[in-house]
mmCIF file of all heavy atoms in Angstrom:
data_model
loop_
_atom_site.group_PDB
_atom_site.id
_atom_site.type_symbol
_atom_site.label_atom_id
_atom_site.label_comp_id
_atom_site.label_asym_id
_atom_site.label_seq_id
_atom_site.Cartn_x
_atom_site.Cartn_y
_atom_site.Cartn_z
ATOM 1 N N ASP A 243 41.788 -153.673 95.513
ATOM 2 C CA ASP A 243 40.449 -153.018 95.275
ATOM 3 C C ASP A 243 39.311 -153.758 95.714
ATOM 4 O O ASP A 243 38.305 -153.229 96.264
ATOM 5 C CB ASP A 243 40.501 -152.813 93.777
ATOM 6 C CG ASP A 243 41.367 -151.737 93.226
ATOM 7 O OD1 ASP A 243 41.904 -151.033 94.119
ATOM 8 O OD2 ASP A 243 41.777 -151.817 92.049
ATOM 9 N N ALA A 244 39.429 -155.116 95.603
ATOM 10 C CA ALA A 244 38.357 -156.004 96.059
ATOM 11 C C ALA A 244 38.085 -155.814 97.686
ATOM 12 O O ALA A 244 36.981 -155.794 98.115
ATOM 13 C CB ALA A 244 38.482 -157.484 95.695
ATOM 14 N N VAL A 245 39.294 -155.851 98.340
ATOM 15 C CA VAL A 245 39.144 -155.708 99.794
ATOM 16 C C VAL A 245 38.580 -154.412 100.175
ATOM 17 O O VAL A 245 37.779 -154.191 101.103
ATOM 18 C CB VAL A 245 40.633 -155.903 100.502
ATOM 19 C CG1 VAL A 245 40.527 -155.652 101.950
ATOM 20 C CG2 VAL A 245 41.098 -157.401 100.164
ATOM 21 N N SER A 246 39.057 -153.299 99.376
ATOM 22 C CA SER A 246 38.458 -152.003 99.690
ATOM 23 C C SER A 246 36.974 -151.991 99.475
ATOM 24 O O SER A 246 36.194 -151.407 100.246
ATOM 25 C CB SER A 246 39.141 -150.970 98.797
ATOM 26 O OG SER A 246 40.503 -150.921 99.116
ATOM 27 N N SER A 247 36.531 -152.652 98.405
ATOM 28 C CA SER A 247 35.100 -152.789 98.125
ATOM 29 C C SER A 247 34.307 -153.491 99.320
ATOM 30 O O SER A 247 33.206 -153.151 99.684
ATOM 31 C CB SER A 247 34.883 -153.460 96.853
ATOM 32 O OG SER A 247 33.442 -153.693 96.562
ATOM 33 N N VAL A 248 34.928 -154.593 99.816
ATOM 34 C CA VAL A 248 34.400 -155.272 100.926
ATOM 35 C C VAL A 248 34.287 -154.380 102.082
ATOM 36 O O VAL A 248 33.142 -154.364 102.833
ATOM 37 C CB VAL A 248 35.322 -156.512 101.281
ATOM 38 C CG1 VAL A 248 34.829 -157.203 102.529
ATOM 39 C CG2 VAL A 248 35.169 -157.482 100.204
ATOM 40 N N LEU A 249 35.323 -153.578 102.379
ATOM 41 C CA LEU A 249 35.193 -152.620 103.558
ATOM 42 C C LEU A 249 34.060 -151.620 103.325
ATOM 43 O O LEU A 249 33.233 -151.314 104.282
ATOM 44 C CB LEU A 249 36.568 -151.987 103.774
ATOM 45 C CG LEU A 249 37.660 -152.823 104.337
ATOM 46 C CD1 LEU A 249 39.039 -152.146 104.369
ATOM 47 C CD2 LEU A 249 37.357 -153.177 105.792
ATOM 48 N N ASP A 250 33.944 -151.048 102.154
ATOM 49 C CA ASP A 250 32.999 -150.068 101.929
ATOM 50 C C ASP A 250 31.605 -150.697 101.965
ATOM 51 O O ASP A 250 30.670 -150.042 102.493
ATOM 52 C CB ASP A 250 33.210 -149.419 100.591
ATOM 53 C CG ASP A 250 34.367 -148.656 100.393
ATOM 54 O OD1 ASP A 250 34.825 -148.151 101.356
ATOM 55 O OD2 ASP A 250 34.989 -148.369 99.283
ATOM 56 N N THR A 251 31.448 -151.872 101.453
ATOM 57 C CA THR A 251 30.132 -152.623 101.468
ATOM 58 C C THR A 251 29.784 -152.906 102.913
ATOM 59 O O THR A 251 28.569 -152.864 103.360
ATOM 60 C CB THR A 251 30.187 -153.874 100.579
ATOM 61 O OG1 THR A 251 30.564 -153.609 99.419
ATOM 62 C CG2 THR A 251 28.884 -154.654 100.606
ATOM 63 N N ASN A 252 30.758 -153.283 103.633
ATOM 64 C CA ASN A 252 30.463 -153.711 105.112
ATOM 65 C C ASN A 252 30.001 -152.433 105.898
ATOM 66 O O ASN A 252 29.115 -152.497 106.663
ATOM 67 C CB ASN A 252 31.766 -154.305 105.711
ATOM 68 C CG ASN A 252 31.545 -154.756 107.107
ATOM 69 O OD1 ASN A 252 30.557 -155.353 107.436
ATOM 70 N ND2 ASN A 252 32.417 -154.304 108.132
ATOM 71 N N LEU A 253 30.592 -151.295 105.544
ATOM 72 C CA LEU A 253 30.159 -150.060 106.380
ATOM 73 C C LEU A 253 28.816 -149.626 105.921
ATOM 74 O O LEU A 253 27.850 -149.203 106.563
ATOM 75 C CB LEU A 253 31.187 -148.924 105.933
ATOM 76 C CG LEU A 253 32.531 -149.076 106.546
ATOM 77 C CD1 LEU A 253 33.527 -147.883 106.044
ATOM 78 C CD2 LEU A 253 32.614 -149.063 108.078
ATOM 79 N N ASN A 254 28.501 -149.813 104.486
ATOM 80 C CA ASN A 254 27.192 -149.458 103.993
ATOM 81 C C ASN A 254 26.139 -150.425 104.631
ATOM 82 O O ASN A 254 24.971 -149.952 104.940
ATOM 83 C CB ASN A 254 27.169 -149.538 102.492
ATOM 84 C CG ASN A 254 27.969 -148.482 101.850
ATOM 85 O OD1 ASN A 254 28.209 -147.390 102.359
ATOM 86 N ND2 ASN A 254 28.478 -148.767 100.617
ATOM 87 N N LEU A 255 26.355 -151.656 104.681
ATOM 88 C CA LEU A 255 25.489 -152.648 105.241
ATOM 89 C C LEU A 255 25.205 -152.318 106.799
ATOM 90 O O LEU A 255 24.064 -152.366 107.203
ATOM 91 C CB LEU A 255 26.025 -154.080 105.141
ATOM 92 C CG LEU A 255 26.030 -154.587 103.745
ATOM 93 C CD1 LEU A 255 26.613 -155.976 103.582
ATOM 94 C CD2 LEU A 255 24.542 -154.711 103.164
ATOM 95 N N ALA A 256 26.371 -151.961 107.490
ATOM 96 C CA ALA A 256 26.148 -151.591 108.826
ATOM 97 C C ALA A 256 25.270 -150.361 109.052
ATOM 98 O O ALA A 256 24.439 -150.294 109.914
ATOM 99 C CB ALA A 256 27.608 -151.284 109.445
ATOM 100 N N SER A 257 25.541 -149.348 108.063
ATOM 101 C CA SER A 257 24.547 -148.206 108.092
ATOM 102 C C SER A 257 23.125 -148.557 107.881
ATOM 103 O O SER A 257 22.280 -148.008 108.472
ATOM 104 C CB SER A 257 25.202 -147.178 107.092
ATOM 105 O OG SER A 257 24.312 -146.050 107.084
ATOM 106 N N ASN A 258 22.967 -149.408 106.809
ATOM 107 C CA ASN A 258 21.551 -149.872 106.488
ATOM 108 C C ASN A 258 21.016 -150.634 107.715
ATOM 109 O O ASN A 258 19.709 -150.431 107.917
ATOM 110 C CB ASN A 258 21.689 -150.703 105.253
ATOM 111 C CG ASN A 258 21.876 -150.014 104.079
ATOM 112 O OD1 ASN A 258 21.897 -148.728 103.996
ATOM 113 N ND2 ASN A 258 22.451 -150.688 103.025
ATOM 114 N N ARG A 259 21.748 -151.484 108.348
ATOM 115 C CA ARG A 259 21.186 -152.180 109.504
ATOM 116 C C ARG A 259 20.912 -151.272 110.674
ATOM 117 O O ARG A 259 19.846 -151.421 111.292
ATOM 118 C CB ARG A 259 22.115 -153.266 109.974
ATOM 119 C CG ARG A 259 22.242 -154.505 109.029
ATOM 120 C CD ARG A 259 23.048 -155.573 109.740
ATOM 121 N NE ARG A 259 24.435 -155.303 109.823
ATOM 122 C CZ ARG A 259 25.333 -155.664 108.849
ATOM 123 N NH1 ARG A 259 24.956 -156.392 107.861
ATOM 124 N NH2 ARG A 259 26.716 -155.402 108.893
ATOM 125 N N GLN A 260 21.625 -150.259 110.845
ATOM 126 C CA GLN A 260 21.359 -149.325 111.896
ATOM 127 C C GLN A 260 20.118 -148.486 111.494
ATOM 128 O O GLN A 260 19.235 -148.219 112.454
ATOM 129 C CB GLN A 260 22.530 -148.250 112.035
ATOM 130 C CG GLN A 260 22.417 -147.286 113.082
ATOM 131 C CD GLN A 260 23.631 -146.386 113.308
ATOM 132 O OE1 GLN A 260 24.506 -146.466 112.529
ATOM 133 N NE2 GLN A 260 23.700 -145.613 114.328
ATOM 134 N N ASN A 261 19.953 -148.169 110.265
ATOM 135 C CA ASN A 261 18.691 -147.405 109.905
ATOM 136 C C ASN A 261 17.486 -148.316 110.070
ATOM 137 O O ASN A 261 16.430 -147.807 110.506
ATOM 138 C CB ASN A 261 18.779 -146.930 108.416
ATOM 139 C CG ASN A 261 19.870 -145.943 108.164
ATOM 140 O OD1 ASN A 261 20.191 -145.180 109.112
ATOM 141 N ND2 ASN A 261 20.250 -145.875 106.889
ATOM 142 N N THR A 262 17.673 -149.600 109.782
ATOM 143 C CA THR A 262 16.541 -150.525 109.969
ATOM 144 C C THR A 262 16.109 -150.554 111.439
ATOM 145 O O THR A 262 14.949 -150.617 111.830
ATOM 146 C CB THR A 262 16.941 -151.898 109.491
ATOM 147 O OG1 THR A 262 17.126 -151.861 108.109
ATOM 148 C CG2 THR A 262 15.695 -152.882 109.630
ATOM 149 N N VAL A 263 17.109 -150.690 112.311
ATOM 150 C CA VAL A 263 16.812 -150.674 113.761
ATOM 151 C C VAL A 263 16.220 -149.424 114.130
ATOM 152 O O VAL A 263 15.202 -149.435 114.931
ATOM 153 C CB VAL A 263 18.211 -151.038 114.530
ATOM 154 C CG1 VAL A 263 17.936 -150.825 115.994
ATOM 155 C CG2 VAL A 263 18.745 -152.294 114.165
#
Side-chain angles (χ1 to χ4, degrees):
D243 291 340
V245 173
S246 297
S247 178
V248 168
L249 284 170
D250 292 340
T251 303
N252 186 46
L253 292 175
N254 291 334
L255 289 175
S257 178
N258 291 338
R259 283 190 290 268
Q260 185 176 9
N261 290 337
T262 300
V263 171

